C-alpha cells in the first residue's frame, strides 16, 4: 500500500487548496493554518516516499481503474524522490517566511497550495500529457502569485511571464502530440519502447517532437535568449513568492527536461542526433556566459540573482546535452543544490529588506555590523553559488565540468572542452558580483562615524526602501538610481523585530530558516559520495 503515497503527495495540497476559499466565507484568517498543515503533511509524505525508494527502489501507482500504458502512472525513483523532497521542504520553509513578509489572505494560500500540488505532480508523473497538465497548473498559479501584491510592476511582470509561459507550454504540447502520432502512447516508459520498435531515432516526427519539447521547456526554464520573463518576475514578485518561484518553478521544468530526455528519448537518441545535441550545447553555453555577464552588471539584488539563474540552468542544460554519466550526475546534483542555494539567497535578500530596507548592493554598506548572522548566511550562500568548496554548488559544477572534459577527451569534438571553459569563465563572473556584495557587507563604510542604529537618520532607516506590508516593493524608486549616501551603514527600518539572542533586527523564524539552509548547502557539499550512490541506480538504468 505504500504506492498510495504517490497520489497523496499530489492530492493533499490540491484538495487543501479549496479549503481557504471555502472556509474563508466564515473565517478571515483560516488560510495560513490550512496551508501550514498541508505543506507539513507533504513533507512527511515526501520523506516516506524517499525512505521507500531507499529501501525498495523504484515503485509506481496506477491512477484509477486503467493500468499503464493506457492509464496514468505515478512513479517514484531516486531522481523524482529527491525533487519531491526539495519541493516539500522549500514550500514549507517559504510558507513560514510569508507569514511575516506577506502576501497574506485566503486566496494567496489557495494559490500557493495549488502550486505545491502542481510541482509535486510534475515530479511524480510518468505520463507526458499528464506532465503538461501539471505544467499548466504550475504556470497559472505562478502568474497569479507573481502579481499577488497587486502593484502595476508585478502585474506587468506576471503578464510577460504568462505570454512567454503559454508559448512554452504550447510548444511542449505540440511536441508531445508528434510523439503520440509516432508511437501511439503517452506513457513515458512505453513511449521509450515504442520509439525503438515503431519509429527509430532518425524518424522526423521523433526528432521534431524532441526539439519542440526542449524548446518549450527552455522557455519555462529561462535559458538565454528566451529568459526575458525571469528577471522581471523575480524582481517584481513579493519576496516570499520570489523565493519559492526561484527555487522550484524553473527547477521542476529542468527536472522535466532531464526526465523526458533520458526516460523517454534515451541517451541513444542523443548519440544518434548530433545536430540536436550540438544546438543544445550552443544554447546552454551561451546561456551560461550571457546570464553570468548580465548578473555582474546588476545592482538590484533580486535582479542580479535572477540573471545568475539563467547561467546556472544553462549548466544543467549542458549536462543534459553532453549525454555523459558524470555530467548528468553533476546536472542532477546542481539541480537540487541550485534550488537550495537560490531559495536561501532570495530568502536572505527578503529578510534583509524586511529588517533594514536593503534591496540594492549600494544599500548594503556594513550590513554585517548590524546583521552579522543574516549577512554571514547570505555570504556563505553566495560563495556556494560561486562554487567554493565544500558547498553543494562546487559539487555540481565539478561533476558537470569533469563530464564535459571526459566527453571532449572521448572524441566528441571541441564542444565538451568548450563547455568546461565556459563554466570556468562563468565562475569568474559569479565571483565578481558575489565578491562585490560581500565587500559591501563587510568593508564599505569602514572608518565612517558610527551613525547607524535605532536613532540613525541615514538613508534606509526612516523608510523601508519600498518594502510594502505584503512583501512587495515601491515602484516609485527609479531602478537605476543609487542612493546618495551609498556608504552610510544600514539602519533598521521602523518597527523592525528585536530578537533576544542575536543582534540582527530581522524576523527570528526567517533568520533560523536562512541559517539552516546555508548549513545544509555546506553539508551537502561533503556528501559527494553519498549523492553519487543515491542517484547511482537511476544513472545505471539510463546508461545501461
Amino acid at each position: 500500500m505504500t504506492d498510495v503515497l504517490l497520489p497523496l503527495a499530489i492530492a493533499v495540497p490540491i484538495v487543501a487548496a479549496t479549503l481557504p476559499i471555502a472556509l474563508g466565507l466564515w473565517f478571515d484568517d483560516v488560510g495560513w493554518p490550512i496551508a501550514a498543515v498541508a505543506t507539513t503533511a507533504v513533507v512527511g509524505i515526501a520523506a516516506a516516499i524517499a525512505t521507500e525508494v531507499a529501501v525498495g527502489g523504484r515503485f509506481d501507482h496506477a491512477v484509477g481503474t486503467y493500468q499503464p500504458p493506457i492509464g496514468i502512472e505515478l512513479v517514484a525513483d531516486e531522481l523524482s524522490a529527491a525533487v519531491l523532497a526539495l519541493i516539500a521542504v522549500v514550500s514549507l520553509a517559504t510558507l513560514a517566511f510569508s507569514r511575516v513578509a506577506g502576501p497574506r489572505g485566503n486566496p494567496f494560500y489557495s494559490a500557493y497550495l495549488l502550486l505545491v500540488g502542481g510541482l509535486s505532480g510534475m515530479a511524480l508523473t510518468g505520463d507526458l500529457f499528464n506532465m503538461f497538465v501539471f505544467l499548466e497548473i504550475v504556470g497559472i498559479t505562478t502568474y497569479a502569485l507573481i502579481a499577488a501584491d497587486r502593484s502595476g510592476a508585478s502585474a506587468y511582470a506576471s503578464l510577460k511571464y504568462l505570454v512567454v509561459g503559454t508559448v512554452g507550454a504550447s510548444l511542449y504540447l505540440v511536441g508531445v502530440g508528434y510523439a503520440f502520432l509516432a508511437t501511439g502512447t503517452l506513457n513515458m516508459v512505453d513511449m521509450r519502447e515504442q520509439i525503438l520498435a515503431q519509429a527509430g531515432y532518425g524518424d522526423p516526427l521523433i526528432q521534431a517532437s524532441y526539439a519542440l519539447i526542449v524548446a518549450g521547456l527552455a522557455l519555462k526554464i529561462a535559458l538565454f535568449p528566451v529568459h526575458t520573463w525571469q528577471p522581471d518576475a523575480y524582481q517584481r514578485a513579493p519576496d516570499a513568492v520570489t523565493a519559492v518561484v526561484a527555487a522550484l518553478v524553473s527547477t521542476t521544468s529542468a527536472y522535466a527536461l532531464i526526465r523526458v530526455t533520458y526516460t523517454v528519448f534515451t541517451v541513444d537518441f542523443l548519440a544518434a542526433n548530433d545536430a540536436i545535441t550540438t544546438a543544445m550545447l550552443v544554447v546552454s553555453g551561451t546561456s551560461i556566459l550571457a546570464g553570468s555577464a548580465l548578473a555582474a552588471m546588476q545592482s538590484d539584488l533580486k535582479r542580479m540573482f535572477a540573471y545568475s539563474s539563467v547561467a546556472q540552468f544553462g549548466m544543467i542544460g549542458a549536462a543534459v546535452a553532453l549525454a555523459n554519466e558524470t555530467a548528468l550526475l553533476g546536472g542532477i546534483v546542481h539541480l537540487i543544490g541550485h534550488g537550495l542555494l537560490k531559495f536561501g539567497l532570495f530568502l536572505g535578500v527578503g529578510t534583509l529588506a524586511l529588517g533594514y530596507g536593503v534591496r540594492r548592493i549600494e544599500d548594503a554598506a556594513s550590513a554585517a555590523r548590524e546583521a552579522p548572522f543574516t549577512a554571514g548566511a547570505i555570504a556563505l550562500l553566495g560563495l556556494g553559488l560561486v562554487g567554493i568548496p565544500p558547498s553543494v554548488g562546487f559539487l555540481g559544477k565539478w561533476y558537470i565540468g569533469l563530464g564535459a572534459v571526459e566527453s571532449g577527451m572521448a572524441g566528441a569534438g571541441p564542444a565538451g572542452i568548450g563547455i568546461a571553459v565556459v563554466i570556468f569563465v562563468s565562475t569568474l563572473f559569479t565571483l565578481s558580483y558575489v565578491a562585490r556584495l560581500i565587500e559591501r557587507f563587510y568593508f564599505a563604510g569602514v572608518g565612517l562615524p558610527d551613525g547607524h542604529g535605532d536613532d540613525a537618520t541615514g538613508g534606509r532607516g526612516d523608510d523601508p526602501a519600498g518594502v510594502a506590508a505584503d512583501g512587495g516593493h515601491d515602484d516609485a524608486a527609479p531602478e537605476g538610481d543609487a542612493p546618495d549616501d551609498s556608504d552610510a551603514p544600514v539602519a533598521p527600518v521602523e518597527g523592525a523585530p528585536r530578537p533576544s539572542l542575536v543582534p540582527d533586527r530581522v524576523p527570528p523564524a526567517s533568520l533560523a530558516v536562512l541559517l539552516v539552509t546555508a548549513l545544509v548547502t555546506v553539508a551537502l557539499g561533503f556528501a559527494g559520495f553519498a549523492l553519487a550512490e543515491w542517484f547511482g541506480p537511476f544513472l545505471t538504468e539510463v546508461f545501461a
Side-chain angles (χ1 to χ4, degrees), residues 520-531:
V520 167
T521 61
V522 174
L524 286 176
F526 286 104
F529 291 110
L531 290 173

Side-chain angles (χ1 to χ4, degrees), residues 210-505:
Y210 183 71
L212 287 167
I213 289 173
V214 170
L217 292 176
L219 283 160
K220 293 287 189 176
I221 296 169
L223 295 179
F224 186 89
V226 290
H227 68 288
T228 53
W229 64 267
Q230 192 177 69
D232 286 341
Y234 285 15
Q235 182 187 14
R236 300 303 185 183
D239 291 333
V241 173
T242 301
V244 73
V245 170
L248 299 180
V249 172
S250 290
T251 298
T252 51
S253 296
Y255 159 81
L257 177 61
I258 296 173
R259 176 63 69 188
V260 171
T261 299
Y262 287 98
T263 297
V264 179
F265 290 89
T266 75
V267 67
D268 293 328
F269 171 83
L270 296 178
N273 291 275
D274 288 338
I276 292 177
T277 55
T278 300
M280 291 175 65
L281 288 171
V282 170
V283 170
S284 298
T286 304
S287 188
I288 295 169
L289 282 179
S292 300
L294 289 168
M297 297 166 60
Q298 305 304 310
S299 292
D300 183 277
L301 291 172
K302 291 174 74 174
R303 200 170 186 86
M304 180 177 75
F305 290 126
Y307 277 114
S308 81
S309 291
V310 176
Q312 303 301 320
F313 282 115
M315 296 180 194
I316 296 171
V320 172
L322 285 168
N324 173 285
E325 186 170 351
T326 304
L328 182 58
L329 173 61
I332 293 171
V333 171
H334 204 55
L335 182 78
I336 306 299
H338 176 261
L340 285 172
L341 286 169
K342 278 298 161 64
F343 166 70
L345 285 167
F346 281 108
L347 174 64
V349 170
T351 301
L352 204 57
L354 203 61
Y356 296 90
V358 174
R359 288 200 173 274
R360 300 171 62 84
I361 290 181
E362 293 87 349
D363 299 343
S366 297
R369 296 170 64 186
E370 279 284 347
F373 289 93
T374 306
I378 295 174
L380 186 61
L381 290 162
L383 293 175
L385 190 66
V386 175
I388 303 297
S391 169
V392 68
F394 164 77
L395 206 59
K397 284 186 178 183
W398 172 258
Y399 280 131
I400 296 172
L402 183 61
V405 173
E406 289 177 357
S407 177
M409 297 295 289
I417 302 299
I419 290 296
V421 171
V422 164
I423 291 174
F424 176 75
V425 174
S426 168
T427 300
L428 297 180
F429 273 116
T430 308
L431 178 62
S432 71
Y433 59 78
V434 170
R436 185 157 56 107
L437 178 60
I438 293 175
E439 185 274 334
R440 295 298 294 175
F441 277 171
Y442 289 94
F443 303 109
V446 171
L448 292 178
D450 187 23
H452 63 290
D454 294 342
D455 298 325
T457 58
R460 290 155 298 279
D462 309 317
D463 174 28
V467 180
D470 58 3
H473 49 80
D474 185 359
D475 297 317
E479 186 177 319
D481 294 344
D484 294 333
D485 57 344
S486 59
D487 283 331
V490 300
V493 300
E494 184 178 354
R498 293 178 178 272
S500 58
L501 299 178
V502 296
D504 304 52
R505 298 286 301 275

